[in-house]
Each structure stands twice: as structure tokens, then as C-alpha cells.
């Protein structure tokens, strides 16, 4: 995947567009096939459910993409989301008088703190993110269990106004989905239009070179972890609002699905390329598969196998496009491997 | 702690091969002498931590220091220990195999389904081992022939193999295996508290250790991890080596799946869910670099045993297993952050002090 990290910007952009169009096409085909089988799939209610279902994964995939672009990874997101969700519920239980927005902010802040911990460990100590976030995956989850101590927080413990957030719709689109769209657009705009956003790609393509040209690499590595933590916190808050039932297992094992969404969406796992729009499409595709399989009369046990196959196909596609681009740029038949 | 598992963990001599490569690789930006000195202590320090925690647990925790408990401890970590052996070699070459726990689960599901279909276990077991080899080969082909990054490939096959496990067995559980097999899986060596699986782990550990630390193949693994392009030019077939490693990894994971199924007497699609992270954690805790090129098997065995000891001791001491997660995570983070920070500090100290 190194090839298109450093390749000509036009070639890189074309690959991304081809990729995003491909996912879009797959999504359209999937929705069309499912609707033909079961017209109810496009009913307002089921579209709303679909969007709500995709919301959390999309938000998490956006944050993860920013981390992946810098050639790092955050495996702790599932644990962070779980911790934030439980913190949100606990705040409602412990301080019944607290206004809902303050509690939501508190939940997001818990995620931010986790992100800062990851960021400091990775950026300041310069240790591999895979190891650090594997460690914090266990730590945050452990803290969650220790704190929850077997307790469960139920919808009855939280105010109706908060739980109703998931049911508020604007022109038929649920509020959480709108929040996810806003997150995607904001992150996409930042990565595209801000110098520091562009520099994330430079850091991910070639960290040593980025350091040499004067990019503050440590800071550029640190920031995405914090953003990702905050977004995982936001996802935790939205989880609490939507499901109302919280225990220490919330978000267990989610990290790989999040990475999968980003990878399917064309974010290279070794940094330097990809967009948050692609990642969001990847998240939407995975969620749609989840919803469509039962309607297509496919045993839902197939879902995970399909997801796995999709990941393999999409990284294979990446490889193919990258090789073709590299060959065209070099004007010869040399292979990247 | 059964003495049989200690044996492969203690000899420090073979570690030297790994360290040399490691020092050559990581020391470049810093002062070689101090850093290599630090690195030389990596395996030593993890083994030290293991000895200290075993001593502490024996003194502080009632019932820890008994042969019976050591037997349980070994059974508890058996699957992780088995899978960690090939994982060490894979990570030393700079690759990773995250699909191992899913391979275990798929093997378990197939085993259950074949048993329901009426095949005898004598036939099922070799078929399942073969299945593991095929699953590993698929990983290997995607990585070496197609040239995809192993992290992405094995995240994909992690999902796919686990998914296939559900396709094969659904959410059913097959539990009517004959006692001669399930009881046999957890049986002890005659006259001792040592489960026979400990013997198998010890033998495999010696085999993997010898291959890694005492053969040209082992040296080539470090070379591949340090710089696979240069290794290729030196005439070593990087592709074949990696392909074989993935096959071995899949095969061992399938073996662990068979053992797991018999040990718990239950074939389920979700067996060992998430175990890949525990294996990777144990290997990294044991001092293997995630970037490849450095690490040693004695360190990894100490890492596996350290996690097992802590889990076992905390459970006996009635400390909730939640704390174990925190301890596991902390250990992992400390084991990478501490040496790195110390190396950077000593590097800074070695430089002329900047005007401040």
C-alpha cells in the first residue's frame, strides 16, 4: 500500500474515487436486491433503523481513519465506548439533577481522557500504537468492569429527554444519524482543507521524511488519538441514549469491526491514504449487510463470513489498483512486492 | 507451576541470537552500548518478573503453591501457550496472524459438526488438523503470493473464519463427546499432577526454540523481520518461509482448537472468541518486537506463564477478574513504554545538554 501513499496526488485521488464509487455501487446493488426481495426494506421505519444502526460504527470509523492515516491504530475504541457509555449512565444515577447536555459532555470527556492516555503513550514514548492500544483495551475494559461491579443501568435510571434523543427525527432522519453526518463532514473538511490535516497524510506516508521537513510529527500523531477518543466517547453517549441498558460489556470486540469498516472504505492500514468519506461508506455498507441478510433469506450466520470476505476483497482491490498505478507511473512492469 | 513448563523457559543462552539482531536494528538512532545493554535485559527482566510473581503468589495466596493448582494453571493457559509458539516466529518475521482464535473456533465447529454427522473422532481429528493447515495456507498465500499486509489479511480472515464457524454450527453446542476423549484431554501424567498437555507444550517449545535460536532458518527469520528486502537478495526465500510459518500457525491453532473442544467438552462456534489478543499480548509482553526482528522464545514462555500466574493467583485470592484486565493491560503498556522511555532518556543524557 506504500505505493499510492507517495504516488502522484492525481493517481491517488483517482484510486480513492474509484474505491468510493465501488463501495457506493455495492451499497446500491445490495439495497436494490434487498428491496426487490422485500419491498419493506426501504420503508421509512426500516431506513431509520438502518441509519441508527450505522451511526455508532460511522462515528467510530471516522475517528479510527484519522488514526490509521497517521500509520497508527487504536484498538481500544470498543473499551473506550463502553467506559463512556457506563460513565454517562452513572452520571445520571449519581447526580439526578444534572442537566442532560452536561452529562453528555461528561461522557464525551471520559472518551477524551482515554484518547489523551493513548496519545501520550504513543506519541511521547514513541511506542507502537498496536501494542499500547492493545494494552489500554484491557485497561479501560478492566476499569469499566471494576467500576460497574456487576451493576446494570437501565432505561428507568435515565431521563426520558435523553432516551428520546434517538427518536428525534429531522425530515425522517434520526438525530444521531445527523450527528454522524456532521462528524463525517467536519473530519473530511478538516483533513482536506487544513494544513495540519494534510500533514496527517504526510506523517502516515513517511514519518521520517515528515520529521525532516519540519512537521511536528509527535503532535500530529497525538491529536488523532484524542479526537478518536472523543468520538468514541460520543458514540458511548449515543449508545446510552439509544439502548438504555448499560453494563460493563458494552462495545466488547467492536474494535475489529471499526477497523474493518475503515479498511473496506479504502483507508490503508499502513497509513498515508484514505478518506473519512470512504470509511463512512464502509461503515454504512457493513451495517446494511447486517440489516439486509435476514431479509434476503440468508442465514444471519453468514454475516460475519461476508464481512471477512469483503475485507479481503477490498484490500485485494487496493493492492491491484496500487500496482496498476505504480506500473503506470514507472512506465514499466516492475512489481511493488 | 509445573517444572516441565519451566524448563524451556529458563535457559537464557539461545536468546543471544535474537538480541544481536535486535540491537543492530533498534540501536541505530541511540548510543549502541547503553541500548544494547538495556535490550539484553528484556528477556531477563520478564523472566525475573515471572519468578517474582510466582514467589509472591506462593507466599501470599493460599492454595497457589500446590501441584494440583499448578496443573489447573497449565490447563488454563494451554491454548494460549500453544498458539504463542508459532505466533512468536510469525511476529519476528514482521508479520502477524490475528486469525488464530477464529481458526480455533472454526476447527471446533467443524469438529462438532462432523461428530454430529457420525464420523469417529479418529477420523475427525486429522481432518481438523488438515483444515487448520489449509486455513493457515490461505493466510500465507494472501500475504506472500498476493502481497497483502498480514495485519489486514488476518483481520479479514479473523472475521471470515469465525463467520464460517457460525455457518457450520450456528449457535448450537455439541457436547456429547465420549468421556474417553474429553477426560483424556485433561488427564495427568501417571502419578503426578502434571497434565499431559504440559508435556506437549514443553516438547513443542523446545522444537520451536531450537528452530528459532539454533538453526539457519531461525536466523533467517530475524533477518526477514529486520529487512526482508535485503534478506531476499541474500538468497533466502522470504515468501516460502512466511508461507510455511502461516501454515504452521494455522495447524497449531487447529490443534489448540481440538484440545479446547475436548478440554471443555463442548464444540461451539464462539470458542476462544477474542483469544488472539491474549496471545499477541503474551508474545509482546515476552519482549518480541511488533516490528519484527527481535525477541526470544524463553521470554515469550515467561510472558505466557506470567499472565497465567497472575490470573490464577488473583482468582484464588478472590480478587475479581476485572482487576486482571487492568493488570494485563498495565503490564503490556509498561513492558513497551518503560524500555523505550529509558532508552530515550539515556540517549538525551548522552547528548550535550541543550541550553535551557
Amino acid at each position: 500500500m506504500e505505493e499510492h501513499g507517495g504516488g502522484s496526488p492525481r493517481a491517488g485521488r483517482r484510486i480513492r474515487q474509484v474505491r468510493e464509487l465501488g463501495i457506493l455501487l455495492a451499497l446500491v446493488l445490495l439495497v436494490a436486491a434487498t428491496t426487490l426481495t422485500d419491498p419493506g426494506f426501504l420503508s421509512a421505519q426500516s431506513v431509520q433503523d438502518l441509519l441508527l444502526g450505522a451511526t455508532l460504527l460511522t462515528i467510530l470509523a471516522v475517528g479510527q481513519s484519522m488514526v490509521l492515516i497517521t500509520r497508527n491504530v487504536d484498538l481500544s475504541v470498543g473499551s473506550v465506548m463502553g467506559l463512556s457509555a457506563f460513565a454517562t449512565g452513572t452520571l445520571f444515577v449519581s447526580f439526578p439533577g444534572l442537566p442532560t447536555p452536561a452529562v453528555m459532555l461528561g461522557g464525551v470527556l471520559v472518551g477524551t481522557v482515554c484518547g489523551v492516555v493513548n496519545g501520550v503513550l504513543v506519541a511521547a514514548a514513541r511506542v507502537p500504537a498496536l501494542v499500547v492500544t492493545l494494552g489500554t483495551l484491557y485497561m479501560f475494559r478492566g476499569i469499566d468492569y471494576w467500576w460497574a461491579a456487576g451493576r446494570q443501568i437501565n432505561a428507568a435510571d435515565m431521563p426520558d429527554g435523553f432516551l428520546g434523543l434517538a427518536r428525534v427525527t429531522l425530515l425522517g432522519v434520526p438525530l444521531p444519524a445527523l450527528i454522524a453526518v456532521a462528524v463525517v463532514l467536519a473530519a473530511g473538511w478538516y483533513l482536506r482543507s487544513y494544513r495540519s490535516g494534510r500533514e496527517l497524510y504526510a506523517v502516515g506516508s513517511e514519518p521520517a521524511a515528515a520529521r525532516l521537513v519540519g512537521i511536528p510529527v509527535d503532535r500530529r500523531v497525538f491529536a488523532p488519538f484524542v479526537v478518536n477518543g472523543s468520538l468514541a466517547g460520543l458514540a458511548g453517549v449515543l449508545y446510552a441514549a439509544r439502548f438504555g441498558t448499560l453494563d460493563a460489556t458494552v462495545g466488547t470486540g467492536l474494535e475489529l469491526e471499526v477497523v474493518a469498516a475503515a479498511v473496506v472504505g479504502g483507508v490503508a492500514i499502513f497509513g498515508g491514504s484514505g478518506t473519512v468519506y470512504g470509511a463512512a461508506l464502509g461503515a454504512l455498507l457493513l451495517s446494511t449487510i447486517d440489516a439486509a441478510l435476514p431479509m434476503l433469506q440468508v442465514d444471519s450466520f453468514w454475516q460475519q463470513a461476508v464481512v471477512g470476505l469483503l475485507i479481503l476483497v477490498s484490500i485485494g482491490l487496493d493492492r491491484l489498483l496500487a500496482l496498476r498505478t505504480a506500473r503506470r507511473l514507472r512506465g514499466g512492469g516492475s512489481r511493488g512486492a | 507451576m509445573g517444572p516441565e513448563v519451566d524448563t524451556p523457559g529458563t535457559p537464557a543462552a539461545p536468546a543471544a541470537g535474537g538480541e544481536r539482531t535486535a540491537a543492530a536494528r533498534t540501536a541505530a538512532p541511540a548510543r549502541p552500548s547503553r541500548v544494547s545493554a538495556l535490550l539484553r535485559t528484556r528477556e531477563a527482566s520478564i523472566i525475573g518478573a515471572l519468578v517474582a510473581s510466582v514467589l509472591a503468589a506462593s507466599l501470599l495466596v493460599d492454595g497457589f503453591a500446590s501441584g494440583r493448582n499448578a496443573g489447573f494453571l497449565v490447563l488454563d493457559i494451554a491454548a494460549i501457550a500453544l498458539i504463542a509458539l508459532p505466533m512468536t516466529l510469525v511476529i519476528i518475521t514482521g508479520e502477524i496472524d490475528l486469525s488464530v482464535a477464529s481458526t480455533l473456533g472454526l476447527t471446533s465447529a467443524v469438529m462438532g459438526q462432523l461428530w454430529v454427522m457420525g464420523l469417529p473422532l479418529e477420523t475427525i481429528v486429522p481432518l481438523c488438523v488438515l483444515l487448520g493447515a489449509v486455513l493457515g495456507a490461505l493466510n500465507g498465500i494472501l500475504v506472500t503470493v498476493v502481497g497483502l499486509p498480514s495485519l489486514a489479511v488476518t483481520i479479514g480472515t479473523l472475521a471470515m473464519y469465525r463467520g464460517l464457524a457460525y455457518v457450520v454450527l450456528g449457535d448450537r453446542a455439541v457436547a456429547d463427546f465420549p468421556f474417553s476423549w474429553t477426560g483424556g484431554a485433561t488427564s495427568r501424567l501417571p502419578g503426578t499432577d502434571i497434565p499431559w498437555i504440559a508435556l506437549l507444550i514443553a516438547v513443542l517449545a523446545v522444537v520451536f526454540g531450537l528452530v528459532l535460536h539454533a538453526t539457519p532458518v531461525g536466523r533467517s527469520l530475524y533477518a526477514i523481520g529486520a529487512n526482508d528486502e535485503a534478506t531476499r537478495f541474500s538468497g533466502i526465500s522470504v515468501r516460502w518461509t512466511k508461507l510455511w510459518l502461516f501454515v504452521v500457525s494455522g495447524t497449531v491453532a487447529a490443534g489448540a482448537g481440538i484440545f479446547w473442544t475436548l478440554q471443555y467438552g463442548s464444540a461451539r462456534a464462539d470458542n476462544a472468541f477474542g483469544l488472539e489478543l491474549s496471545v499477541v499480548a503474551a508474545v509482546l509482553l515476552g519482549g518480541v518486537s511488533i516490528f519484527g526482528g527481535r525477541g526470544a522464545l524463553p521470554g515469550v514462555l515467561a510472558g505466557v506463564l506470567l499472565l497465567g500466574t497472575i490470573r490464577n493467583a488473583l482468582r484464588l485470592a478472590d480478587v475479581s477478574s476485572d482487576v486482571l484486565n487492568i493488570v494485563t493491560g498495565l503490564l503490556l503498556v509498561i513492558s513497551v513504554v518503560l524500555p523505550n522511555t529509558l532508552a530515550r532518556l539515556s540517549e538525551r543524557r548522552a547528548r550535550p545538554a541543550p541550553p535551557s
Side-chain angles (χ1 to χ4, degrees), chain A residues 124-127 130 135 138 256 270 308, chain B residues 149 156 277-278 290 325 329 340 344:
Chain A
R126 287 192 197 161
V127 286
L130 190 74
Y138 287 109
L256 292 177
F270 289 124
Chain B
L277 294 183
S278 306
I290 190 75
N325 268 331
N340 238 41
R344 286 185 68 195

Side-chain angles (χ1 to χ4, degrees), chain A residues 256-335:
Chain A
L256 292 177
E257 203 181 333
V258 174
V259 174
V263 169
V264 167
V267 180
I269 207 154
F270 289 124
S273 88
T275 65
V276 291
Y277 308 115
L281 280 174
L284 195 57
L285 181 62
L286 294 194
S287 310
T288 310
I289 290 175
D290 197 4
L293 285 182
M295 296 207 158
L296 287 169
Q297 309 294 324
V298 178
D299 198 316
S300 66
F301 289 128
W302 275 96
Q303 190 220 337
Q304 225 179 346
V306 173
V307 170
L309 195 63
L310 208 62
I311 299 172
L312 293 178
V313 168
S314 53
I315 57 171
L317 200 67
D318 253 346
R319 178 72 185 165
L320 195 73
L321 291 170
L323 277 181
R324 194 175 284 176
T325 313
R327 207 168 296 160
R328 200 179 304 138
L329 288 175
R330 286 177 201 157
S334 86
R335 287 176 58 96

Side-chain angles (χ1 to χ4, degrees), chain A residues 13-261:
Chain A
R13 198 174 310 140
R14 190 178 309 146
I15 286 171
R16 282 199 296 278
Q17 282 166 356
V18 168
R19 183 53 173 285
E20 279 153 23
L21 281 176
I23 308 170
L24 209 54
L25 189 68
L27 198 56
V28 170
L29 284 176
L30 180 63
V31 171
T34 316
T35 314
L36 283 178
T37 316
D38 183 348
F41 187 61
L42 275 188
S43 73
Q45 184 58 46
S46 96
V47 169
Q48 272 189 21
D49 288 346
L50 181 64
L51 291 177
L52 266 179
T55 296
L56 299 178
L57 194 57
T58 304
I59 292 176
L60 292 170
V62 167
Q64 187 70 249
S65 302
M66 296 175 80
V67 175
L68 285 174
I69 284 169
T70 64
R71 204 184 272 192
N72 286 291
V73 68
D74 186 351
L75 291 180
S76 72
V77 282
S79 302
V80 175
M81 187 186 111
L83 193 58
S84 298
F86 198 79
T88 308
T90 309
L91 280 175
F92 277 124
V93 173
S94 312
F95 306 97
L98 224 54
T100 303
V103 172
M104 292 174 71
L105 193 65
V108 175
L109 275 180
V110 169
T112 312
V113 171
C114 294
V116 169
V117 171
N118 283 330
V120 166
L121 288 173
V122 173
R126 287 192 197 161
V127 286
L130 190 74
V131 190
V132 168
T133 57
L134 182 56
T136 53
L137 178 157
Y138 287 109
M139 277 165 56
F140 297 150
R141 181 64 64 193
I143 292 170
D144 200 1
Y145 269 100
W146 171 68
W147 191 20
R151 270 182 307 151
Q152 198 185 55
I153 294 173
N154 297 309
D157 300 321
M158 290 182 268
D160 291 337
F162 177 67
L163 295 168
L165 281 180
R167 265 165 278 147
V168 176
T169 58
L170 202 73
L171 301 173
V173 183
L175 182 62
L178 289 175
I179 295 176
V181 171
V183 166
V184 173
L185 293 178
W189 173 66
Y190 167 74
L191 287 176
R192 200 187 177 87
S193 314
Y194 272 74
R195 179 175 173 162
S196 52
R198 306 297 317 158
E199 286 176 354
L200 295 186
Y201 287 95
V203 169
S205 297
E206 204 51 76
R211 211 178 286 277
L212 281 179
V213 300
I215 295 173
V217 172
D218 292 339
R219 238 188 302 158
R220 295 291 175 268
V221 166
F222 174 72
F225 277 101
V226 180
V227 173
N228 189 35
S230 306
L231 289 177
L234 177 64
V237 173
L238 293 176
Y239 182 99
R242 182 175 177 211
F243 294 100
T245 307
L246 306 169
D247 58 24
T249 65
V250 170
T252 303
L254 200 63
E255 55 283 340
L256 292 177
E257 203 181 333
V258 174
V259 174

